[in-house]
Amino acid sequence: SAVISQKPSRDICQRGTSLTIQCQVDSQVTMMFWYRQQPGQSLTLIATANQGSEATYESGFVIDKFPISRPNLTFSTLTVSNMSPEDSSIYLCSVTHRQDSYEQYFGPGTRLTVT
Amino acid sequence: AQKITQTQPGMFVQEKEAVTLDCTYDTSDPSYGLFWYKQPSSGEMIFLIYQGSYDQQNATEGRYSLNFQKARKSANLVISASQLGDSAMYFCAMRPTGNQFYFGTGTSLTVIP
């Protein structure tokens, strides 16, 4: 397993501002992902964070809105830019240890409220 | 198409009883993994159990077992001897080949004392 921490755990932000969420893992991992969970909904994959290169975004998500960095094998950031109330969600970081591993572990999540 | 279906939005179970949470899936990939996660009100996603598509036996982890019926494409979670702390949202998920995880809409489980 992996121990994953996220900062901040929660935040309340104003419309039009940006928030950067950090994800730190206690060991080197192969794959890092960012998910969004809107209120009362299931999880939706935003993007795969690639070390040293641009993230791979899923349909409906773009780099300008959700820029992602992954400078090394244990750390990644997700920025939610120019926020609107529709961005109010839980944002979760998740990791796998090996590319062929099916096991995926999640961080504690960041609960974001946009007013 | 890849899809996970959880048809029970809410379930109730008496403490110490067993409960089954339903999950069906659809994929054309021959190799895939099936997962169950628990999400308490705090929001974290807790990994419970995993079943590989080629695994011959049903997975078990303590009080959790996965009733895997490949021909029916179902992967139901069985929780035995329910505890009050089991009250949470439960998500079924599938990972075919590749990185994408597909999640169901979740089942809210309430354990009644």
Side-chain angles (χ1 to χ4, degrees):
Chain A
S1 65
V3 178
I4 306 168
S5 60
Q6 282 186 235
K7 290 181 182 179
S9 59
R10 59 176 62 230
D11 207 342
I12 301 173
C13 301
Q14 289 196 340
R15 181 195 299 262
T17 63
S18 297
L19 176 72
T20 296
I21 302 168
Q22 298 180 4
C23 175
Q24 179 75 54
V25 190
D26 69 339
S27 58
Q28 293 187 348
V29 293
T30 304
M31 312 294 289
M32 295 183 78
F33 308 93
W34 287 98
Y35 286 83
R36 180 176 75 181
Q37 185 180 25
Q38 293 176 304
Q41 303 293 317
S42 188
L43 281 74
T44 303
L45 180 64
I46 298 172
T48 303
N50 301 310
Q51 186 205 358
S53 63
E54 193 172 290
T56 304
Y57 289 85
E58 297 299 315
S59 176
F61 298 96
V62 295
I63 187 171
D64 289 346
K65 176 66 175 177
F66 297 101
I68 288 171
S69 77
R70 188 182 174 189
N72 56 52
L73 291 175
T74 63
F75 184 79
S76 178
T77 66
L78 166 75
T79 299
V80 186
S81 304
N82 188 25
M83 288 183 283
S84 67
E86 292 72 33
D87 294 320
S88 297
S89 298
I90 298 174
Y91 291 86
L92 296 118
C93 169
S94 75
V95 305
T96 60
H97 276 291
R98 304 189 316 269
Q99 198 148 7
D100 61 346
S101 171
Y102 284 114
E103 295 185 23
Q104 188 165 8
Y105 299 94
F106 287 82
T110 296
R111 193 179 294 266
L112 171 63
T113 302
V114 184
T115 59
Chain B
Q2 320 280 11
K3 190 176 181 181
I4 288 279
T5 303
Q6 293 180 254
T7 58
Q8 305 157 315
M11 289 282 286
F12 292 87
V13 63
Q14 203 76 36
E15 192 177 8
K16 299 180 184 177
E17 296 292 313
V19 63
T20 297
L21 306 184
D22 294 341
C23 173
T24 58
Y25 62 92
D26 190 18
T27 181
S28 56
D29 284 21
S31 179
Y32 50 89
L34 296 159
F35 303 77
W36 279 92
Y37 288 88
K38 172 183 177 181
Q39 188 177 44
S41 57
S42 57
E44 61 189 304
M45 291 286 285
I46 302 169
F47 168 74
L48 294 179
I49 196 166
Y50 159 77
Q51 177 85 43
S53 58
Y54 293 118
D55 293 344
Q56 296 296 315
Q57 292 188 321
N58 287 343
T60 59
E61 290 286 348
R63 294 187 297 112
Y64 305 107
S65 61
L66 199 152
N67 184 2
F68 180 44
Q69 297 188 44
K70 195 170 184 177
R72 296 181 60 186
K73 293 191 174 181
S74 73
N76 298 339
L77 177 71
V78 180
I79 305 174
S80 62
S82 297
Q83 302 172 356
L84 296 179
D86 294 334
S87 294
M89 283 290 291
Y90 289 81
F91 289 94
C92 179
M94 175 180 66
R95 185 183 179 190
T97 51
N99 298 327
Q100 175 73 297
F101 254 60
Y102 297 86
F103 284 85
T105 51
T107 296
S108 176
L109 177 67
T110 302
V111 180
I112 303 168

